[in-house]
Amino acid sequence: MSDKVELKYKNKSYELPVMIGTENDIAMDISRLRAETGLITLDVGYQNTGSTTSSIAYIDGNNGVLRYRGYPIEQLAENATFPETAYLLIYGELPNYEQLANFRRMLTQNALVHEDMLHFFVGIPPMAHPMGILSSMVNALALYDPKYYAEESDSEDFDLMVARLISKVRTIAAFSYKKSIGEPFVYPDAKKSYCSNFLNMMFHSHAKPYDEDPLLEKVLNALLIIHADHEQNCSTSTVRLVGSSKANLYASVCAGINALWGPLHGGANQAAIETLLQIQESGMSIDQVMDRAKDKNDSFKLFGFGHRIYKSYDPRAKVLKNLVAKVFAERNINDPLLDIAYELEQRALNDDYFIERKLYPNVDFYSGILYRAIGIPVNMFTVMFAIGRLPGWIAHWKEMHDDPNFKIGRPRQVYTGLLERSYVPMDERY
Ligand code: ACO
């Protein structure tokens, strides 16, 4: 701590400590504010509230920077694998050969779900959204894990829970898809890598065996890495808040999955592609789309644009846009939705409304186009996001539990309801 903020309230002065982060983020520490002044702070939607210190991810929203544990996201997406990135986020450093081999072995050994859990899938209605299936199944995983109550974040039990979650979530996601199309489940294959295994479980069938595809595996690795963490976003803050009651890791992650489902957060990747499809099918011109997106009385929303933190181009969108160009060129893919997306982006970047509000494509604008190219159905897009974000959620749960200043999360409010009044029995009220 250095520096202080001087606060004047009712003719008295108070000094609030200022904290400076390693990347020079500055924060006024208000933890003693209420005790000393009686005031609380009001910040609807936590637009300007730091809920914790953290050393996991760094974002510079004005300059389009995102780093995991100091490593630029562009370098990780280009060179690392998803398990390596997951290890980095959760344990703080990139793994050495032995650590990575051990982590991979644990992922492989924990890839299966208990056979009894397969009965759960039988009862799921055919139209169920895969995000609902995923959160239900992750909750159910806790029932099959005798260590699910473990609170220690630096124990072998924790390491096992990490492997079980990261590996089984992938299996559950693929099983949900197979269930939705009425095909038999494809079990995980111990000889395949994390992403190759997922693609095999999704797309292998008796009619059409899945051939390993290094390009698609690279794309999937990059997509999952891109999604792996994003500091105190809605779902991660949810995981932290739920975990702060000492709820177990499964319960906390499950809450994160549900928070991610919403269209203003992870659900935006599904909403973004549906918007592009709507534009294509309705034959709306780009002019009409822009007008509707800007019209406050119109419920139409341009999903995949705008971000609470990024006031410049989202670095994740930049990586994905380059990847789209590479994959589409290499595979000679033609997707009319990509043409619409390019045109929309061009128009928005030159439109006063978007410029003034600093609205740029976010991660969800191009991720859906890539998922389509891989063959992932639209209603699975947010599930893919959840698989990717899982290491980030786990890393935050661990960081919070390791923090010597651990406290249950409990925001305050400014009450605006009625003053005290007396209860009147029903027959006297009317
Ligand atoms: N299209 C048109 N206008 C927009 C958009 C958009 N996609 N996003 C924001 N705006 C406008 C708002 O109407 C508002 O205008 P105003 O100042 O005239 O009232 C202004 O830009 C600021 O927007 P807010 O919603 O106040 O910004 P906030 O930081 O609260 O919300 C959010 C950010 C939720 C991401 C918003 O930009 C949005 O709804 N975008 C579409 C949904 C989306 O793509 N979400 C995914 C985000 S990335 C992720 O979660 C992984």
Side-chain angles (χ1 to χ4, degrees):
M1 296 271 187
S2 63
D3 264 341
K4 300 223 177 298
V5 170
E6 195 182 323
L7 176 77
K8 285 202 172 128
Y9 176 62
K10 293 199 170 164
N11 297 325
K12 268 185 83 178
S13 281
Y14 303 88
E15 282 193 333
L16 303 172
V18 167
M19 181 177 188
I20 305 176
T22 50
E23 288 279 0
N24 294 323
D25 290 334
I26 40 175
M28 183 172 81
D29 181 350
I30 54 120
S31 46
R32 300 276 316 143
L33 183 70
R34 184 166 168 274
E36 289 176 12
T37 66
L39 292 167
I40 65 158
T41 54
L42 179 63
D43 180 18
V44 176
Y46 307 121
Q47 297 191 74
N48 199 37
T49 294
S51 58
T52 185
T53 59
S54 179
S55 58
I56 300 170
Y58 170 69
I59 302 177
D60 175 349
N62 290 328
N63 295 304
V65 171
L66 170 61
R67 297 186 203 124
Y68 297 162
R69 303 279 189 189
Y71 295 104
I73 185 74
E74 296 81 2
Q75 293 179 17
L76 292 169
E78 178 63 30
N79 303 305
T81 63
F82 178 62
E84 201 182 356
T85 307
Y87 189 100
L88 167 73
L89 286 167
I90 297 167
Y91 297 107
E93 289 294 344
L94 284 169
N96 60 29
Y97 277 117
E98 192 187 336
Q99 288 164 329
L100 187 59
N102 192 38
F103 190 51
R104 282 190 192 284
R105 184 180 48 74
M106 286 180 74
L107 293 178
T108 302
Q109 286 174 349
N110 289 285
L112 282 167
V113 291
H114 195 291
E115 282 292 300
D116 288 354
M117 261 188 82
L118 301 188
H119 296 301
F120 287 31
F121 282 93
V122 175
I124 291 171
M127 296 310 288
H129 194 285
M131 280 298 275
I133 304 178
L134 187 72
S135 68
S136 309
M137 292 296 171
V138 171
N139 244 339
L141 272 184
L143 311 178
Y144 289 86
D145 190 345
K147 306 283 190 200
Y148 77 90
Y149 49 82
E151 283 173 5
E152 299 304 322
S153 52
D154 57 353
S155 63
E156 284 182 8
D157 290 348
F158 174 76
D159 295 341
L160 186 61
M161 276 197 291
V162 168
R164 289 171 70 95
L165 267 167
I166 293 181
S167 201
K168 290 180 200 302
V169 153
R170 169 194 54 170
T171 309
I172 290 168
F175 281 13
S176 312
Y177 172 62
K178 285 295 192 190
K179 157 86 187 170
S180 74
I181 57 171
E183 282 187 8
F185 300 143
V186 176
Y187 280 51
D189 179 341
K191 291 190 284 310
K192 292 191 187 301
S193 71
Y194 188 90
C195 287
S196 167
N197 228 328
F198 177 73
L199 292 170
N200 188 55
M201 284 192 279
M202 285 284 289
F203 300 126
H204 178 84
S205 72
H206 288 291
K208 197 169 178 290
Y210 172 72
D211 286 330
E212 298 236 333
D213 187 331
L215 178 66
L216 291 196
E217 280 161 38
K218 188 167 170 46
V219 171
L220 185 56
N221 260 302
L223 276 160
L224 297 179
I225 289 170
I226 287 289
H227 284 118
D229 193 48
H230 212 236
E231 51 118 303
Q232 313 307 320
N233 55 83
C234 175
S235 56
T236 303
S237 299
T238 302
V239 169
R240 277 186 174 260
L241 195 57
V242 172
S244 80
S245 74
K246 293 269 177 185
N248 65 70
L249 185 57
Y250 293 105
S252 308
V253 160
C254 222
I257 294 172
N258 285 319
L260 190 74
W261 195 351
L264 294 190
H265 189 17
N269 58 13
Q270 176 173 343
I273 209 85
E274 283 169 352
T275 306
L276 293 175
L277 282 165
Q278 184 191 354
I279 294 169
Q280 184 195 30
E281 282 159 15
S282 67
M284 255 193 284
S285 69
I286 299 293
D287 277 335
Q288 285 169 317
V289 175
M290 297 295 287
D291 287 346
R292 290 191 65 184
K294 294 186 277 187
D295 182 355
K296 303 281 181 223
N297 298 316
D298 192 328
S299 60
F300 178 86
K301 201 174 180 83
L302 198 50
F303 285 92
F305 263 85
H307 197 276
R308 171 64 61 80
I309 307 289
Y310 292 117
K311 300 304 167 197
S312 65
Y313 211 105
D314 181 336
R316 303 166 301 173
K318 214 177 261 176
V319 171
L320 294 181
K321 190 179 173 189
N322 291 337
L323 212 50
V324 168
K326 187 171 177 252
V327 173
F328 277 46
E330 246 177 75
R331 288 288 151 94
N332 212 4
I333 303 173
N334 217 333
D335 185 346
L337 295 195
L338 182 60
D339 301 333
I340 298 176
Y342 280 154
E343 203 179 337
L344 262 178
E345 176 184 333
Q346 243 352 81
R347 290 292 300 275
L349 295 183
N350 291 297
D351 186 286
D352 285 346
Y353 173 98
F354 284 79
I355 294 169
E356 275 159 27
R357 290 167 182 76
K358 300 189 168 134
L359 301 170
Y360 293 84
N362 61 47
V363 65
D364 292 322
F365 196 59
Y366 287 108
S367 63
I369 290 173
L370 264 178
Y371 284 130
R372 257 164 73 96
I374 295 179
I376 309 277
V378 173
N379 68 355
M380 285 280 291
F381 286 3
T382 315
V383 167
M384 301 307 299
F385 194 154
I387 299 174
R389 183 53 58 86
L390 189 54
W393 290 333
I394 296 171
H396 282 271
W397 190 93
K398 175 171 165 55
E399 182 176 66
M400 181 179 66
H401 281 76
D402 290 345
D403 188 343
N405 294 320
F406 182 99
K407 286 210 181 322
I408 186 168
R410 195 349 181 148
R412 291 196 171 258
Q413 64 164 21
V414 175
Y415 176 69
T416 55
L418 295 172
L419 299 179
E420 182 177 349
R421 49 188 175 158
S422 295
Y423 175 77
V424 181
M426 176 73 86
D427 52 0
E428 292 174 32
R429 259 183 276 155
Y430 300 104

